[in-house]
Amino acid sequence: MVKTNKLNVFNDPIYGFIGTPNELIFSLISHPYFQRLRRISQMGLSYLVYPGAHHTRFHHALGSMHLMTKAIQVLRLKKIEITPEEEKGLLCAILLHDIGHGPFSHALEGFVAEEISHEQISLKFMKELNKEFNGQLDMAISIFQGDYAKPFLNQLVSSQLDMDRLDYLKRDSFYSGVTEGNINSDRLISMLNVVDGTLVVEEKAIYAVEKFLMARRFMYWQVYLHKTGLVAEQLLVRIMQRARFLLSKGDNLEGSRPLLFFLQQNGTLTFDAEVLKTFAELDDIDILGALKSWQFHDDFVLSKLCKMLLDRRLLHVKVKKRPLTAEKLNEKLDWIIDKYGLSVEDASNFVFQGEISNRAYSKDEAIRILKKNGKISDVLKESDQLSLKALAKTVTKYYSCYPKKAV
């Protein structure tokens, strides 16, 4: 007989005890689709830079749900109507918002399954779970898609000041040890309000919002887009590309069934229910297991890339305001061609460049400030921080990766 519980408690290092508010939440957490998140790293390969960053999407999903319960309590105290059904929908939507992430989260986004984002896969998971739970996720899906009648409910799940961002900044800061990302989520949540169906922040929290936006900028450039993490993720992508190429030529590669299934796909994949089940079997362990096997493969490029990543003997990487000149890049390319006798195409796996960009604040989805006189204003207009204005501009940098002489 299967044991069922209506309540369970998780001990979280950030917030303390996190409870399961109702039986549906407990059942969703217990589901294999959600348990898979224990095997999906939250910050990709950032642990190669910050050794403590081994937390998972499971941690983040529970943390986001916990913050949502706080936000609901605050808004209800301010006489904002959130029905029991809407509360359940909100908690389910935020709990499942990242369930569609693939191995190593953003590192392999769009590669394992091309032309479909993790948000779209999350929605597919939610719809499948909704069938299993007899329509109990109808409200959650409506809120997640943003077509529910109360816009602020969707904004709590997905906006520039949602529970997702409030958790991942604080959590990633904690596990990476980068204190600049530590935000005051309690202060921000306590100052939330709703005006004309839209989420706003009361004026008293202006400085907390400023710190939040600055923290997000610091975390992107210092952690999420850190050059060492960047080159590691680029190597991982090239390993998967090489594996796919070798399989297309008829080479035999060891690997788990779900990994080989996705690597053998050519062109657009019809992401139906069966494909979703296969995707649900894929996690970080499949990738790491493959790397450990492929490091001994006869193909020099695949073997070398795997060993570099496993042993953390990565390519040299530089991040600058301008891309490396073609002449300098070709010099690096010629060196690796001569050293290993590679073709230009094969050598390009070890010498390449690209660009990264970040914008900490989008004017299109403004954070609205509720002033004491009742008027609504954009945070950029109310802030006296000149640096905050710059956060609305997209900053682009260029990276170049090439071997160290001892590679």
Side-chain angles (χ1 to χ4, degrees), residues 272-286:
D272 56 21
E274 283 304 310
V275 172
L276 190 69
K277 286 181 181 177
T278 305
F279 185 83
E281 297 171 14
L282 191 64
D283 54 52
D284 293 7
I285 297 169
D286 299 87

Side-chain angles (χ1 to χ4, degrees), residues 215-403:
R216 190 164 184 269
R217 176 180 176 273
F218 285 137
M219 287 295 287
Y220 267 88
W221 289 119
Q222 197 171 335
V223 179
Y224 306 133
L225 297 176
H226 188 285
K227 65 177 186 176
T228 304
L230 175 68
V231 70
E233 293 186 357
Q234 286 296 319
L235 289 178
L236 182 59
V237 169
R238 280 160 175 75
I239 287 169
M240 293 299 120
Q241 289 172 339
R242 189 68 178 183
R244 181 170 279 169
F245 167 72
L246 293 174
L247 285 168
S248 70
K249 285 189 358 178
D251 285 20
N252 287 323
L253 284 181
E254 292 183 3
S256 67
R257 185 188 63 81
L259 177 59
L260 292 178
F261 170 81
F262 285 104
L263 287 177
Q264 287 167 342
Q265 300 303 315
N266 293 313
T268 304
L269 177 67
T270 303
F271 218 95
D272 56 21
E274 283 304 310
V275 172
L276 190 69
K277 286 181 181 177
T278 305
F279 185 83
E281 297 171 14
L282 191 64
D283 54 52
D284 293 7
I285 297 169
D286 299 87
I287 304 298
L288 289 173
L291 297 188
K292 290 181 73 176
S293 172
W294 296 346
Q295 67 178 317
F296 303 111
H297 196 273
D298 292 338
D299 181 74
F300 173 83
V301 173
L302 182 65
S303 171
K304 190 70 173 176
L305 289 172
C306 288
K307 286 177 181 175
M308 289 171 71
L309 200 53
L310 288 170
D311 298 338
R312 201 190 178 279
R313 295 184 177 178
L314 308 173
L315 296 173
H316 185 64
V317 56
K318 283 190 175 180
V319 178
K320 294 188 173 182
K321 292 181 180 179
R322 295 182 181 83
L324 203 66
T325 64
E327 183 181 0
K328 286 187 177 180
L329 201 67
N330 285 332
E331 282 179 16
K332 310 291 184 186
L333 200 61
D334 290 341
W335 183 83
I336 197 81
I337 289 171
D338 292 341
K339 183 173 176 64
Y340 293 109
L342 300 175
S343 67
V344 174
E345 186 179 0
D346 286 352
S348 65
N349 286 286
F350 303 96
V351 180
F352 51 87
Q353 63 180 343
E355 66 178 58
I356 48 177
S357 60
N358 177 245
R359 181 175 60 175
Y361 181 74
S362 173
K363 294 179 182 178
D364 300 330
E365 300 176 8
I367 295 177
R368 296 168 180 84
I369 302 297
L370 174 61
K371 301 178 72 175
K372 291 176 183 176
N373 60 10
K375 292 184 178 180
I376 307 295
S377 180
D378 188 320
V379 66
L380 292 188
K381 292 181 180 178
E382 299 307 311
S383 172
D384 54 12
Q385 277 261 23
L386 291 175
S387 59
L388 205 59
K389 310 293 190 291
L391 298 184
K393 296 178 181 179
T394 300
V395 177
T396 301
K397 298 181 182 181
Y398 301 88
Y399 64 88
S400 52
C401 306
Y402 47 86

Side-chain angles (χ1 to χ4, degrees), residues 6-22 25-26 29 34 38 56-70 73 91 94-95 163 166-168 170-171 175 185-186 189:
K6 293 186 178 180
L7 189 64
N8 199 9
V9 174
F10 298 91
N11 194 351
D12 184 74
I14 310 292
Y15 310 117
F17 292 114
I18 296 176
T20 46
N22 54 63
I25 292 292
F26 177 82
I29 292 172
F34 191 83
R38 292 182 185 270
T56 67
R57 288 281 157 184
F58 185 88
H59 294 91
H60 168 57
L62 290 179
S64 300
M65 183 192 71
H66 175 71
L67 293 184
M68 186 66 81
T69 61
K70 287 189 168 188
Q73 289 170 3
L91 294 177
I94 195 66
L95 183 73
M163 300 307 107
L166 290 185
D167 180 78
Y168 78 63
K170 195 171 185 68
R171 186 169 300 278
Y175 280 96
S185 55
D186 285 340
I189 290 173

Side-chain angles (χ1 to χ4, degrees), residues 74-245:
V74 165
L75 293 176
R76 280 177 170 165
L77 285 172
K78 296 178 182 180
K79 309 302 180 185
I80 307 300
E81 184 189 26
I82 299 175
T83 67
E85 191 64 26
E86 288 168 344
E87 176 182 10
K88 186 180 287 187
L90 268 175
L91 294 177
C92 291
I94 195 66
L95 183 73
L96 302 175
H97 78 282
D98 272 346
I99 198 171
H101 266 296
F104 291 103
S105 294
H106 293 285
L108 292 176
E109 178 97 15
F111 177 77
V112 173
E114 296 178 28
E115 298 181 9
I116 184 168
S117 67
H118 76 269
E119 291 93 350
Q120 292 171 307
I121 299 175
S122 291
L123 183 58
K124 287 181 178 292
F125 271 123
M126 291 170 75
K127 288 180 177 178
E128 283 300 308
L129 287 167
N130 198 31
K131 293 176 185 176
E132 287 190 38
F133 288 93
N134 302 314
Q136 291 186 74
L137 296 181
D138 283 343
M139 178 77 73
I141 290 170
S142 181
I143 291 170
F144 183 80
Q145 289 180 305
D147 54 21
Y148 189 66
K150 296 179 178 180
F152 77 90
L153 297 182
N154 172 260
Q155 289 167 342
L156 286 167
V157 176
S158 178
S159 68
Q160 289 200 93
L161 199 60
D162 56 29
M163 300 307 107
D164 172 31
R165 292 188 185 187
L166 290 185
D167 180 78
Y168 78 63
L169 284 175
K170 195 171 185 68
R171 186 169 300 278
D172 296 350
S173 168
F174 175 86
Y175 280 96
S176 65
V178 178
T179 56
E180 289 88 346
N182 188 15
I183 59 168
N184 191 344
S185 55
D186 285 340
R187 175 65 173 168
L188 288 165
I189 290 173
S190 69
M191 291 292 108
L192 291 178
N193 210 324
V194 174
V195 175
D196 297 329
T198 301
L199 196 67
V200 297
V201 184
E202 293 167 10
E203 189 176 12
K204 288 182 288 186
I206 186 75
Y207 298 119
V209 174
E210 287 176 355
K211 185 179 186 303
F212 163 77
L213 292 174
M214 292 301 294
R216 190 164 184 269
R217 176 180 176 273
F218 285 137
M219 287 295 287
Y220 267 88
W221 289 119
Q222 197 171 335
V223 179
Y224 306 133
L225 297 176
H226 188 285
K227 65 177 186 176
T228 304
L230 175 68
V231 70
E233 293 186 357
Q234 286 296 319
L235 289 178
L236 182 59
V237 169
R238 280 160 175 75
I239 287 169
M240 293 299 120
Q241 289 172 339
R242 189 68 178 183
R244 181 170 279 169
F245 167 72

